[in-house]
Amino acid sequence: MARPQDDHLWALAHAERAALAEDLSGLSATQWRHGTLCGEWDVEQVVAHLTAAASLGQWQWLRSMLGARFRPDVHNQRRLAEHRGSTPAETLQRFRAVISSTTAPSAHTPAYLGEVVVHAQDIRRPLGLARTPDVDALTPVARFFARRNFTVDSRTHVAGLQLQADDGPFATGTGPLVRGSTLALVMSMAGRAPYVDELDGPGVPTLRSRLSGSAA
């Protein structure tokens, strides 16, 4: 049985998926092919990846990883291709179908909320879409990212730094201060270097250097 906290986090994830679907509904064909902050993936590929992530339970994920010989890149590409439609409209339709999904490979619910939050911004920022996730959704993601490495090396990126949000309750760590919006902190912990420019404090050069090194 799901815990009340998990129910709350899933409700936040569903709201963030719905908000992203709304943003995607107005994209042109050119925008669907636009680059994102997620490596070499374009907008449609990131959306297909999000659909795949909401469609794999524990055993499906394990079988896929076994088939990929535990190479995450191979696993991700295969599942992306599986959930990508023949057109962007079909890809969006498939994403809409999983908006209310609670399917995930593990019980790390903040991580799956984080996946939606981060990938939505991977799409929005390059396209100039101004929507910002709710701080209530960002804060549990920030706390999870600061506490452990999961799908991204978030804890490693901010080890030995003090983080403080200026728009919400998130604060953690000791050391040189890094201060800014909860969104900028989340995205920086996720390795998205452009968001470091929105942060300030004596710890920012260290964080920027770490992200530059991880991208090399």
Side-chain angles (χ1 to χ4, degrees):
M1 180 177 295
R3 297 173 297 175
Q5 175 66 7
D6 287 333
D7 289 341
H8 176 63
L9 293 175
W10 278 123
L12 293 169
H14 299 160
E16 293 305 318
R17 287 175 185 156
L20 177 59
E22 180 181 337
D23 287 343
L24 295 168
S25 66
L27 297 190
S28 67
T30 300
Q31 288 175 311
W32 277 100
R33 296 288 170 258
H34 201 286
T36 69
L37 299 183
C38 192
E40 297 180 356
W41 287 354
D42 66 18
V43 170
E44 186 176 8
Q45 289 171 310
V46 175
V47 175
H49 171 72
L50 283 171
T51 303
S55 305
L56 291 176
Q58 180 180 5
W59 297 112
Q60 291 168 304
W61 179 86
L62 183 57
R63 284 195 297 271
S64 179
M65 286 295 288
L66 283 168
R69 297 184 181 180
F70 288 95
R71 293 171 292 175
D73 290 347
V74 174
H75 157 79
N76 284 332
Q77 287 290 354
R78 288 177 176 175
R79 300 290 71 79
L80 182 160
E82 179 184 2
H83 291 277
R84 184 176 184 176
S86 58
T87 65
E90 185 178 349
T91 299
L92 177 55
Q93 182 180 13
R94 293 181 179 188
F95 177 63
R96 287 187 184 279
V98 300
I99 283 176
S100 61
S101 171
T102 57
T103 299
S106 71
H108 301 91
T109 312
Y112 303 115
L113 171 59
E115 183 159 39
V116 180
V117 165
V118 170
H119 284 319
Q121 296 309 118
D122 285 342
I123 291 169
R124 289 183 179 126
R125 185 176 178 114
L127 291 178
L129 301 176
R131 190 192 300 267
T132 299
D134 194 286
V135 170
D136 287 344
L138 291 166
T139 300
V141 176
R143 289 171 177 157
F144 183 85
F145 279 5
R147 195 166 60 245
R148 62 176 296 174
N149 295 336
F150 193 67
T151 58
V152 291
D153 293 334
S154 51
R155 180 182 178 183
T156 299
H157 290 153
V158 297
L161 298 174
Q162 179 185 355
L163 308 182
Q164 184 180 87
D166 60 14
D167 62 348
F170 174 65
T172 192
T174 58
L177 178 65
V178 177
R179 189 171 187 268
S181 70
T182 314
L183 176 61
L185 291 168
V186 164
M187 295 300 289
S188 296
M189 283 190 278
R192 274 51 174 183
Y195 280 86
V196 179
D197 294 337
E198 300 178 12
L199 302 171
D200 58 49
V204 169
T206 296
L207 178 57
R208 179 177 287 112
S209 176
R210 289 175 182 175
L211 296 194
S212 297
S214 67

